[in-house]
Amino acid sequence: MEGSSATEFDGYIETLKQSKMLTERQIKVLCNKAREIFMKESNVQPVACPVTIVGDVHGQLDDLLEMFRIGGDSPDTNYLFMGDYVDRGIHSVETVSLVVALKVRYPERVTMIRGNHESRQITQVYGFYEECIRKYNTPDVWTMFTDLFDYLPLTALVENQIFCPHGGLSPNLDTLDHVRALDRFTEVPHEGLLCDLLWSDPHERPGWGISPRGAGYTFGQDISETFNYYNGLTLISRAHQLVMEGYNWSHGRNVVTVFSAPNYCYRCGNQAAIMELDDQLNFTFLQYDPAPRSDEPSNAAQKTPDYFL
């Protein structure tokens, strides 16, 4: 990155770390630059170790800043964010702005993939749209970000061994080439492979099941074991589900869920976690509690519908 551009985005990052918003003009500059970067990335974006894997952050800016204090600042630590930057929390604009700004400033050090909340329809229900209107008195910032979300990679692949979708697997998915062949530059559809990657969940029941979320599927250990074996994978690392300790192994350690929003919705009482991978793919989970905050809304949980916490 050229010096003048680097200085500009350093300024954006510093502003956001002070819990201040960017201007609408700055967000336009940021989204335009990020789109150029994402367009060149793959549906299955390769990631090298060492890297720290982050689950849902959901607009909880104070907790994202706490996560950086625990896991290390960018670019000293490489990060892979597995989606759901917005909704639920009260600082979705600042949260997604900061992660995108870090991606633009350090594109080789930060990887972002798309979560099910990175969509126009979902963000109109769960808070991001209303937050943009409230803070900018216009939907334009929401439009800039949701247009950008169409360009996010769908999944990541760490050292050809750890597959990272936001949600999970799909009956329409046998090999990673099926993901690579998708046209991802679109709103998240209601069904199909792209939808399932962002919405599906592991389950104790074998085989495929109907998801209680109303989108995607549930998949059993037989599905994840077979998928990992035929694709030469050691693990599926995903986010998407609240887990009380911040991480949870399932399917005989074929799947791990990482969730990085502590005390989700300011009421769930869960810890958060991130997963550090070293050069040899050895993993360490770092757990953390909510950061102190003075602006926690007493009624935050009542502002949006519940959908399958």
Side-chain angles (χ1 to χ4, degrees), residues 51-55 80 82 158 162 164 237 258 273-277:
V51 67
T52 296
I53 296 179
V54 184
L80 164 54
M82 295 192 294
V158 180
I162 301 176
C164 301
S237 171
V258 181
I274 52 179
M275 182 169 70
E276 292 184 337
L277 293 168

Side-chain angles (χ1 to χ4, degrees), residues 54 63-72 79 81 274 288:
V54 184
D63 299 318
L64 177 64
L65 297 174
E66 178 74 5
M67 186 277 292
F68 285 126
R69 284 190 284 272
I70 291 166
Y79 282 102
F81 291 89
I274 52 179
Y288 52 101

